[in-house]
Amino acid sequence: MPIARGAGSSIGWIGRAAPAAAVLGLVAAGLALAGCGAPESQPATGAVAEDVEAALRSGTETFDHTPWDELLRAGTADGLVDYRFFQQRRPDLDTYLARVAEADLARLAPNDLKALLINAYNALTVRAILDRPEVSSIREIDGVWTEAVHRVGGHRLSLDNIEHNLLRPYYRDPRIHFAVNCASMSCAPLPGWAFTGGGMEEQLDERTTTFLRAAANVLVEDGGLRVSRYFDWYGDDFVAEGWEPRASTIPEFIGRFSRPEVADLVTAAEGDLEVRFLDYDWSLNAAVRPDPAVRPEGGADGGGAAGQAAAEDSESTGGWVAALRDRVAGFGAAAPAVYGLVYIIAVVLLIPGSALTIGAGVAFGLGLGTIVVVLSANTGAALAFLIARYLMRSRVERWLAGRDKLGAVDRAVEQQGWKVVALTRLSPVFPFNVQNYFYGLTAVGFWAYVLTSIVAMLPGTLLYVYIGVAGTGVAAALTGAASWGRTGLQVTGLAATLLVVWLVTSAARRELQRATDAVG
C-alpha cells in the first residue's frame, strides 16, 4: 500500500557507549531525514532474502490460509471491515498469525510465498487496529509501518519490509498495490477471501479490476483522468521494464482494467492523457468500528499476550538488534550510503559516534560495517577540520581555549606533525569529535591529517564494529536463531580484539605523554 509518511570512537569511550535506544534513536532520526515520500522498492538482505530467493528458485510447498479466509468471509463487506467481529474472534486471528510466524518461507512455492506475504500484511494491519481500537485512522498509530516488527516465517519484519523489501522487489507485480490493505477508505479494499498460491493470478486481476473500475479511484474529468494517489506514489511500478503486467503509460495501464468509457478514452488518446490525482482518505475502513472499551488482554496499552511479549522482546538485546537491522534493511542497497550520511552528520555535530559504530556492526557485519564507518567517520572528520580551518576558526578557537592538554598537543604537532595525529587517534585521552575541530587550528596539513586518521582509527573502529557483530550473535543465540558455538567464537574474537586494541592504545598513550612532556 502507498504510504506518504507525512562518529568515530576510541577505546577509552567504551564505558560510555550509548545504550541500545540511543543507537536506534540516532539511526531513526537520520533515516527520517534521508528518506521522504513513498518507500522505494529495495530487495531485503540477510537471512530473509536467502529464504525468499530459495522459494523463488525451488520452493514447492503450499500454506493453508483457511482460518484467515473464514475470518474475512464473515468479517468484511464490500471491502470494509467489521472490527467488532474481529475483536470477538481475536484468538482465531492470533492463532493464524502464529502459524504465519512459524512458516518455512524457503520451502514455499513462489505464488504461495506471495500469498502468504499479502495475507500476513493484511492480517497484521487488522491486528494493529484491534490493538488501538480508539483510533480513527491508522496514521494515528506511531511507527505502525516502519517500527512495529512482527514475526513472519521466522523473521522479524515490519509492514514496510513485507511490502517494499519483499513483495515489490522480488515479484515486480504492480497488482500487489491493489492487494495489500492499509485500513483506510482510499486504500485497496480488503477482499472477503484469502489469497492463495493456486488462485493468485486470477485474484490479483480481480483486485486490480475492482479497484480501477470504482469511480472513487478513477474519474474522467476535463478530457483527462483523475486517479488514485497510488499512481503518484508508485507510478514507475506500472510502466517500468521488468514489471508485469505493465503498460507504456499509466493511462494505458488503467484503461486495461477500468470501465469501458475509461478504456475508450485511453484508446482514443493513444494512452497520452493528462493525469491528476485524487485526495487520499485515511479514515478507518470500518463497516463497524472497533469497540474502544475492548482491549486485548494485557491492559489499556493493548497488545494482549502477544503484544506484551513483543514489547518485552523490543526491550531486550534481541529486540533492539532486530529493530535496528530491520530499519536499516528497509533502505535496501542504499542502506550503507544512508547510514554513512547519518554518521557524517553526527560527527560534524559532535555527537559521540560509539553507538553508531556498534550499530554498523549490527546492521552490516564486520566487513561492510567497518568500511561504512571508516569512510563516513573520516569524511565527517575532514569536514569538521575544514570548518575549523576556513569557516569558523575564531569560534572554534574560543571554544577550545583553556584546554591545557590540547595546547601541549598543538606544540607537539609543530615538531612532529602527523606522528602526533596518529598517537591522539590511537589514544583514548582526547574525544574523537573534538580532535577533528582542534586539528583544523594546528599547522598539520589536510592530507597528512586525513590519511593518518584513516590508518590510526582502524583498531578502535574494528573493535566497536566487532562489539556490534558479537552482540548480534549473542542476541541470535538467546532467541535460538543461531548456535552458541558460533557465538562463542565471535565473543572469543571480540576478547582477542579488545586485548590487541588495549595494548596498542596503552602504548600510544605513553608515547603521546612523552611527546607532550618534551614540549612542555
Side-chain angles (χ1 to χ4, degrees):
M1 48 139 301
I3 303 297
R5 318 258 201 273
S9 54
S10 63
I11 181 67
W13 288 21
I14 189 168
R16 299 197 299 272
V23 181
L24 280 172
L26 285 169
V27 175
L31 297 188
L33 289 172
C36 60
E40 294 183 2
S41 170
Q42 295 282 359
T45 59
V48 67
E50 293 172 3
D51 280 357
V52 170
E53 290 162 5
L56 297 178
R57 185 173 56 249
S58 58
T60 58
E61 293 187 1
T62 61
F63 187 93
D64 182 13
H65 298 283
T66 299
W68 177 234
D69 185 84
E70 292 174 350
L71 288 171
L72 290 172
R73 291 185 185 279
T76 63
D78 298 324
L80 301 180
V81 181
D82 182 345
Y83 284 104
R84 295 202 182 192
F85 168 83
F86 275 96
Q87 285 178 317
Q88 297 166 2
R89 298 287 295 273
R90 176 63 184 264
D92 295 335
L93 176 62
D94 287 342
T95 298
Y96 169 71
L97 285 172
R99 291 187 58 247
V100 168
E102 300 303 322
D104 189 344
L105 302 188
R107 293 180 177 272
L108 293 177
N111 273 349
D112 283 273
L113 175 60
K114 194 177 190 179
L116 182 137
L117 293 174
I118 294 172
N119 288 331
Y121 188 105
N122 292 341
L124 290 166
T125 299
V126 169
R127 189 170 73 178
I129 301 300
L130 302 188
D131 286 345
R132 293 288 303 277
E134 76 282 3
V135 300
S136 58
S137 169
I138 192 172
R139 292 203 298 177
E140 297 171 19
I141 305 175
D142 291 339
V144 66
W145 292 292
T146 58
E147 296 177 15
V149 291
H150 319 274
R151 196 164 294 279
V152 177
H155 304 282
R156 291 175 59 86
L157 302 172
S158 68
L159 291 176
D160 268 9
N161 292 149
I162 295 171
E163 182 179 6
H164 306 301
N165 305 127
L166 297 179
L167 281 168
R168 289 175 66 207
Y170 284 104
Y171 287 97
R172 295 183 140 194
D173 186 338
R175 297 172 300 175
I176 286 169
H177 293 299
F178 311 113
V180 294
N181 177 268
C182 66
S184 303
M185 292 300 294
S186 285
C187 196
L190 191 65
W193 35 261
F195 288 88
T196 63
M200 179 58 59
E201 288 302 309
E202 295 79 7
Q203 289 174 327
L204 287 177
D205 277 345
E206 188 277 338
R207 288 291 86 194
T208 305
T209 300
T210 296
F211 186 85
L212 295 181
R213 281 180 174 264
N217 303 316
V218 177
L219 286 175
V220 175
E221 186 175 87
D222 298 329
L225 296 177
R226 288 194 70 193
V227 302
S228 167
R229 285 281 175 185
Y230 283 20
F231 296 97
D232 179 17
W233 293 324
Y234 298 116
D236 287 347
D237 290 10
F238 302 95
V239 298
E241 293 288 344
W243 288 68
E244 290 295 338
R246 62 174 290 272
S248 298
T249 66
I250 286 175
E252 182 183 333
F253 184 95
I254 294 170
R256 188 180 302 171
F257 294 95
S258 193
R259 303 182 303 278
E261 64 268 25
V262 174
D264 291 343
L265 180 65
V266 172
T267 300
E270 297 181 347
D272 186 16
L273 283 173
E274 179 185 6
V275 174
R276 290 180 295 165
F277 303 104
L278 296 162
D279 293 335
Y280 203 86
D281 183 355
W282 285 100
S283 58
L284 193 64
N285 63 337
V288 180
R289 292 184 57 81
D291 183 351
V294 176
R295 294 280 185 171
E297 181 183 350
D301 290 336
Q308 184 176 356
E312 293 171 353
D313 189 42
S314 67
E315 294 173 358
S316 70
T317 300
W320 79 261
V321 165
L324 175 60
R325 298 185 78 172
D326 290 339
R327 184 178 295 278
V328 173
F331 281 80
V338 174
Y339 199 98
L341 177 61
V342 174
Y343 203 118
I344 290 168
I345 294 171
V347 173
V348 173
L349 295 180
L350 294 168
I351 299 172
S354 52
L356 284 171
T357 307
I358 294 171
V362 173
F364 304 114
L366 183 61
L368 181 56
T370 300
I371 292 172
V372 168
V373 172
V374 168
L375 292 177
S376 53
N378 283 281
T379 299
L383 289 173
F385 179 98
L386 294 172
I387 289 170
R389 178 157 292 186
Y390 298 111
L391 297 180
M392 300 174 62
R393 186 176 185 89
S394 60
R395 182 172 298 182
V396 174
E397 284 176 339
R398 290 195 301 271
W399 173 51
L400 295 176
R403 299 182 182 232
D404 295 336
K405 287 184 179 180
L406 290 179
V409 172
D410 187 17
R411 293 188 292 273
V413 169
E414 292 179 1
Q415 296 184 12
Q416 302 186 45
W418 66 267
K419 294 181 182 179
V420 175
V421 176
L423 291 173
T424 54
R425 288 307 202 200
L426 288 167
S427 170
V429 175
F430 302 104
F432 165 79
N433 290 344
V434 174
Q435 292 182 42
N436 300 329
Y437 285 95
F438 164 72
Y439 278 117
L441 305 180
T442 68
V444 69
F446 174 75
W447 288 111
Y449 162 78
V450 170
L451 296 175
T452 301
S453 295
I454 291 173
V455 175
M457 286 165 50
L458 193 56
T461 298
L462 280 169
L463 174 62
Y464 274 81
V465 174
Y466 209 150
I467 289 172
V469 173
T472 302
V474 170
L478 287 172
T479 60
S483 69
W484 279 106
R486 179 178 178 182
T487 302
L489 291 176
Q490 290 176 331
V491 173
T492 301
L494 173 61
T497 305
L498 179 62
L499 175 61
V500 171
V501 173
W502 178 78
L503 292 173
V504 170
T505 56
S506 296
R509 185 187 297 111
R510 291 192 297 270
E511 289 299 318
L512 179 62
Q513 187 64 51
R514 280 195 281 269
T516 54
D517 288 346
V519 296

